[in-house]
Amino acid sequence: MRSDNDTWDITSSVGSTALFVAAARALEARKPDPLAVDPYAALFCRAVGGRWADLVDGKDTDSKLTTADFGTHFVAFQAARTRYFDDYFTRATAAGVRQVVMLAAGLDSRAYRLSWADGTVVFELDQPQVLEFKGEVLDAHGARPGAHRVEVPIDLRDDWPAALRDAGFDPGAPAAFIAEGLLIYLPGTAQGELFRGVDALAAPGSYAGIEEGDPMPAAAYEAAKQAEAADTDGDGAFFQLIYNEQIAKAADWFAGHGWTAEATPLADQISGLGRPLPAPGSQSSMMVNSNTLVTAIKT
């Protein structure tokens, strides 16, 4: 369960969800026609060991990620989302943006696996223990970022804009911000603070990339939490970690603050990339149809 000012490492609470996503990216990379290839995702899972290593090495056949219903579509979800934001950074870089701000960077390896223009600085913000784990794993395998990578250990419920400026961020130059797999883990008030923080730091020409999820009906949300709490053999918590709140539709919020915003339903992104959508009415369908990917440019 979540609480005010709670914290975590990579194997607990919200931190463990980054491993779940990394495992999905690792499974996608093994396909003959992957939508995105993250060569570091499996390294993170193997570094933790146990069921995470077994999953990416094909030894765990009981995980939800190996199922034909949920697993197939969750892996497609992560692959399509990864492709969307990879393309987002390509466009921002082509437009001359040389500052990248990853809010809740988790196990995102884009600083290492994407091609960055000379002079690009990638600021990664997350819990200190998460960044420490990530850096240790990548260093141990001799990985080197393709841009100047700056770690900013901060809880995003604290004054992260000040921490970002102290780390060398220039609010006078355009930047590309990303909030991927983040908003659902923040209460509505914190989402509003996050949006305002991005807007205040963003110079004209800045980009914002955001994934958002529509809140579930209250009754369904409570039922999902109770069912999850009773499933002691499951793949960890999810509904008990999210806040099921939304301050506003991201595209509407940014459009109302002087940005040009475009929203792409996740289902459209998945089907547009040639992957099948889950059956209507299934848990996977609700997961996919509640998510939207947003790109905004400050004009």
Side-chain angles (χ1 to χ4, degrees):
M1 297 293 291
R2 301 297 305 281
S3 61
D4 292 342
N5 300 315
D6 55 345
T7 187
W8 50 84
D9 59 20
I10 199 60
T11 60
S12 63
S13 186
V14 177
S16 65
T17 66
L19 280 171
F20 199 67
V21 171
R25 289 199 300 267
L27 294 176
E28 174 68 21
R30 294 208 308 242
K31 294 180 179 180
D33 58 342
L35 299 181
V37 175
D38 183 349
Y40 304 102
L43 298 181
F44 297 129
C45 295
R46 293 191 184 106
V48 173
R51 66 188 183 96
W52 297 108
D54 289 344
L55 177 57
V56 298
D57 290 333
K59 300 176 183 177
D60 183 353
T61 59
D62 296 325
S63 170
K64 289 174 66 176
L65 285 178
T66 64
T67 60
D69 48 4
F70 177 85
T72 296
H73 298 295
F74 186 81
V75 171
F77 169 176
Q78 299 306 319
R81 183 179 79 174
T82 299
R83 170 71 76 83
Y84 177 91
F85 287 116
D86 283 358
D87 292 344
Y88 158 81
F89 281 122
T90 298
R91 294 193 301 273
T93 298
V97 173
R98 296 296 180 265
Q99 293 187 113
V100 172
V101 180
M102 296 187 171
L103 301 164
L107 298 180
D108 188 311
S109 65
R110 289 187 175 96
Y112 294 80
R113 64 178 183 79
L114 295 187
S115 296
W116 299 103
D118 290 345
T120 300
V121 183
V122 178
F123 297 92
E124 296 194 3
L125 288 69
D126 212 320
Q127 295 274 351
Q129 294 181 80
V130 173
L131 291 175
E132 181 180 7
F133 167 82
K134 179 178 179 177
E136 288 177 350
V137 172
L138 293 171
D139 288 347
H141 287 85
R144 296 292 179 266
H148 178 51
R149 176 173 172 264
V150 178
E151 293 185 353
V152 186
I154 185 74
D155 189 311
L156 292 176
R157 294 165 296 188
D158 296 333
D159 190 358
W160 64 267
L164 182 60
R165 289 192 297 268
D166 290 345
F169 177 83
D170 179 7
F177 298 82
I178 183 171
E180 180 184 20
L182 167 60
L183 295 189
I184 58 174
Y185 300 106
L186 296 175
T189 54
Q191 293 174 29
E193 292 171 2
L194 187 86
F195 287 177
R196 288 188 289 274
V198 169
D199 186 43
L201 289 170
S206 290
Y207 284 61
I210 299 157
E211 179 201 4
E212 61 183 356
D214 293 335
M216 300 169 60
Y221 172 56
E222 291 301 325
K225 285 200 299 183
Q226 293 177 17
E228 188 176 73
D231 181 15
T232 56
D233 295 327
D235 282 304
F238 171 73
F239 295 106
Q240 298 172 70
L241 299 176
I242 66 174
Y243 278 93
N244 200 47
E245 299 177 12
Q246 187 177 53
I247 184 65
K249 292 284 190 182
D252 294 342
W253 192 98
F254 280 91
H257 288 77
W259 298 60
T260 300
E262 180 180 0
T264 300
L266 175 63
D268 290 356
Q269 172 74 357
I270 292 174
S271 60
L273 291 170
R275 292 293 168 83
L277 294 174
S282 65
Q283 180 187 18
S284 297
S285 178
M286 291 186 286
M287 170 185 67
V288 167
N289 290 324
S290 67
N291 272 264
T292 303
L293 308 173
V294 177
T295 296
I297 303 174
K298 192 169 189 177
T299 56

